[in-house]
């Protein structure tokens, strides 16, 4: 690989299984390297897992700030010294303001558990089942000010099975998330924004 590796910061809120697939992939021959994992929840399980892989971590607890702008100023203060080229949202459950999103324009990715533009927001699997959809899936997209609406960088599909519960469908989609996000980041880090479609 010629040239410097792209520096990646990952934002999480929870267990960080998507984060782990990104960290594991970046631990191999890869155009990017992980420089920081930040959680907005002090107890997020992903923090310990990242540390175990030797990746620096930080916590910026959103409850310590009176408003979104205050939280995001603190987040920026933690991110900037790590000089990330790319920010990956991986189960990061805070809505970001247009000001923060603009600062990282073209450099911030998110994974969302639906086939966008279907079902932005929450409860995606229940909504897909309720609608009688034949398939569900996940999307990696560029983050833009409108929630879950930026350009698609990758998508993976799974069938919705008879009798599926939101939990069963979520588990099946999550398996695909773990394949899709690393594939997209690997491509994106080389400057290639051609969408990845799985399977
Ligand atoms: C994933 O399913 C991800 O797509 C979803 O949260 C889960 C996090 O799991 N993200 C969103 O709903 C974002 N709006 P993880 O912490 O194990 O990666």
């Amino acid at each position: 690989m010629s040239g410097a590796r792209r520096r990646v910061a990952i934002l999480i809120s929870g267990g960080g299984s998507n984060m782990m697939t990104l960290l594991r992939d970046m631990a191999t021959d890869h155009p990017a390297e992980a420089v920081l994992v930040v959680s907005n929840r002090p107890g997020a399980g992903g923090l310990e897992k990242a540390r175990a892989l030797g990746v620096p971590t930080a916590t910026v607890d959103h409850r310590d700030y009176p408003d979104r702008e205050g939280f995001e100023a603190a987040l920026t203060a933690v991110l900037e010294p790590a000089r990330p080229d790319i920010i990956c949202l991986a189960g990061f459950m805070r809505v970001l303001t247009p000001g923060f999103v603009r600062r990282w324009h073209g450099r911030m990715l998110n994974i969302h558990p639906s086939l966008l533009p279907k079902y932005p927001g929450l409860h995606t699997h229940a909504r897909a089942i309720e609608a009688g959809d034949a398939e569900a899936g996940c999307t990696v997209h560029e983050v833009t000010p409108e929630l879950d609406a930026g350009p698609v960088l990758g998508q993976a599909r799974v069938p919705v099975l008879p009798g599926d519960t939101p939990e069963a469908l979520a588990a099946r989609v999550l398996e695909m998330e773990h394949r899709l996000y690393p594939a997209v980041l690997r491509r994106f880090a080389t400057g290639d924004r051609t969408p990845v479609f799985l399977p």
Side-chain angles (χ1 to χ4, degrees), residues 108-179:
M108 186 154 57
L109 314 186
N110 179 43
I111 187 153
H112 182 76
S114 80
L115 294 172
L116 291 172
K118 277 191 160 182
Y119 315 128
L122 299 175
H123 310 300
T124 54
H125 307 298
R127 288 153 74 195
I129 292 169
E130 176 69 21
D133 291 355
E135 54 180 14
C138 51
T139 304
V140 177
H141 64 95
E142 230 177 88
V143 179
T144 55
E146 195 186 341
L147 184 70
D148 299 330
V152 170
L153 295 167
Q155 236 165 18
R157 296 167 183 274
V158 302
V160 179
L161 301 179
D164 249 348
T165 60
E167 294 71 26
L169 181 55
R172 205 168 328 109
V173 171
L174 191 62
E175 279 180 33
M176 292 308 287
E177 294 185 40
H178 294 164
R179 290 177 51 196

